[in-house]
Amino acid sequence: MRLKLVPRETTWDFFRILRLTFGASAAAVIGSILLFLLVGLNFGIDFLGGTTIRTESPAAVDVGAYRDALTPLGLGDVTITEVFDPTFGPDQNVAQVRIQAQPGQESVAPETIAAIEEALRGVDPGITFASVESVGPEVSGELVRTAILAVTLAIAAVLVYIWLRFEWQFSLGAVAALVHDVVLTIGIFSLLQIRFDLAIIAALLTIVGYSLNDTVVVFDRVRENLRKYKQKDLRDVLNLSINETLSRTVMTSVTTLLALVSLYVLGGDVIRGFVFAMIWGVIVGTYSSVFVASAILLWLGVKRDWSKPDQEAGTQFGGAQP
């Protein structure tokens, strides 16, 4: 017996509570923006500047012991990761310690670095320090600008792609869903004060791709049904299309979440922020494909010129096939 997360055929009216779902989305977006402006994000070293210390030791790296040794120093955001670096040889154990810039300093002071090295030697007397690198405010500022540009260009590319593939109404619906997902992800990071670094930017770009894929699947079925049911009301066509793709949407989301939850539980602190962003993005991306993108399309309407042949109905460019 095959597992079914949703019935084979559903006839749910996804727009029955349209005002409630759309109002909740609008309130969540506004709340996320206010959180970002009033509370801000807990930026990591990538965006605030700081120092990275690379260590080498003949003994196995104990991340927990390293962290316990540095906690009494009160250094703020400290990230400790064990890394594989073939340049150190197969028998070496290498770790990377990242410390945020201290208040009033462009980088971690030499005295602080010396205290860090002394604390780590207390845990592992054989430890050596291969390199010490600092990220200044100019570099971190450039990273912030580059990250914003990357997300903006990704959303702009989606706008053009959907516009060419479908009609402008579809394009605005898809982009509204993407902006909804990105803003809500930033809002939850601001609310929970989870560290926000370059890995989260990578997660945001991945969320954009995931949400777009989900939205395009629904929109493709909408376009097919617009040709097939020329006299059917647009709301009915949208409901039919969402119901027909619902099984695929739920199965994709659930299987993705199973892998992400496993990574979140077992992956450790290094990737936990990235995985949390992905889990949140899959949930809101699935929601927005149904309750935001489709709702925008219903509100804007779509051109349905019945004087054209069937293969050209409901499309912007005469009969263009996906």
Side-chain angles (χ1 to χ4, degrees):
M1 181 178 179
R2 293 183 300 173
L3 175 65
K4 295 181 181 179
L5 298 178
V6 296
R8 181 182 297 274
E9 295 183 3
T10 58
T11 56
W12 296 333
D13 184 1
F14 291 94
F15 302 105
R16 183 171 57 87
I17 54 173
L18 176 61
R19 292 184 178 179
L20 176 62
T21 56
F22 203 77
S25 293
V29 169
I30 295 173
S32 297
I33 294 173
L34 290 176
L35 279 171
F36 174 73
L37 295 176
L38 299 177
V39 179
L41 293 170
N42 179 20
F43 287 111
I45 295 171
D46 296 329
F47 296 137
L48 293 178
T51 296
T52 300
I53 302 174
R54 209 167 178 83
T55 70
E56 178 185 357
S57 174
V61 174
D62 188 340
V63 173
Y66 284 16
R67 190 181 304 279
D68 291 340
L70 297 180
T71 298
L73 300 179
L75 300 174
D77 182 16
V78 177
T79 303
I80 304 172
T81 57
E82 183 176 4
V83 298
F84 172 74
D85 191 338
T87 61
F88 285 92
D91 299 326
Q92 300 301 321
N93 301 285
V94 182
Q96 183 172 269
V97 182
R98 308 177 73 185
I99 306 99
Q100 71 177 27
Q102 304 303 297
Q105 301 177 7
E106 292 190 357
S107 61
V108 178
E111 298 80 7
T112 304
I113 295 176
I116 293 169
E117 294 177 352
E118 182 179 354
L120 293 178
R121 285 195 186 98
V123 176
D124 183 359
I127 195 171
T128 58
F129 302 94
S131 64
V132 178
E133 299 176 353
S134 295
V135 178
E138 292 184 3
V139 175
S140 59
E142 181 65 26
L143 289 174
V144 171
R145 290 189 291 271
T146 303
I148 295 174
L149 180 62
V151 176
T152 303
L153 289 179
I155 294 178
V158 168
L159 176 66
V160 175
Y161 168 73
I162 299 295
W163 196 329
L164 294 176
R165 185 178 175 91
F166 300 99
E167 292 186 11
W168 65 268
Q169 296 96 327
F170 288 86
S171 181
L172 291 182
V175 169
L178 296 184
V179 173
H180 169 275
D181 299 343
V182 171
V183 171
L184 260 60
T185 302
I186 293 175
I188 196 69
F189 270 76
S190 179
L191 176 65
L192 301 179
Q193 286 296 290
I194 302 173
R195 187 173 61 250
F196 194 92
D197 51 24
L198 285 179
I200 309 306
I201 297 299
L204 288 177
L205 294 175
T206 307
I207 290 168
V208 167
Y210 182 91
S211 179
L212 174 63
N213 176 71
D214 218 18
T215 302
V216 167
V217 169
V218 175
F219 280 179
D220 263 333
R221 186 58 59 89
V222 170
R223 184 168 61 177
E224 292 172 4
N225 286 332
L226 282 172
R227 300 169 182 167
K228 187 176 180 180
Y229 304 103
K230 295 183 177 180
Q231 301 304 321
K232 190 182 287 288
D233 186 75
L234 178 58
R235 172 174 172 153
D236 295 333
V237 172
L238 289 171
N239 266 320
L240 175 64
S241 303
I242 297 170
N243 278 287
E244 289 178 346
T245 57
L246 186 62
S247 177
R248 179 262 178 206
T249 298
V250 172
M251 182 62 71
T252 302
S253 299
V254 169
T255 52
T256 304
L257 285 173
L258 287 175
L260 291 173
V261 170
S262 299
L263 282 174
Y264 185 82
V265 174
L266 303 174
D269 292 335
V270 178
I271 62 171
R272 189 154 289 158
F274 173 85
V275 176
F276 175 82
M278 288 298 303
I279 291 173
W280 175 259
V282 168
I283 294 172
V284 298
T286 303
Y287 169 89
S288 66
S289 297
V290 175
F291 294 104
V292 177
S294 298
I296 293 290
L297 183 59
L298 177 62
W299 177 56
L300 294 175
V302 62
K303 181 174 62 179
R304 304 173 72 172
D305 188 351
W306 310 138
S307 65
K308 295 181 179 180
D310 290 357
Q311 65 271 21
E312 297 182 1
T315 60
Q316 181 182 9
F317 301 100
Q321 297 298 316

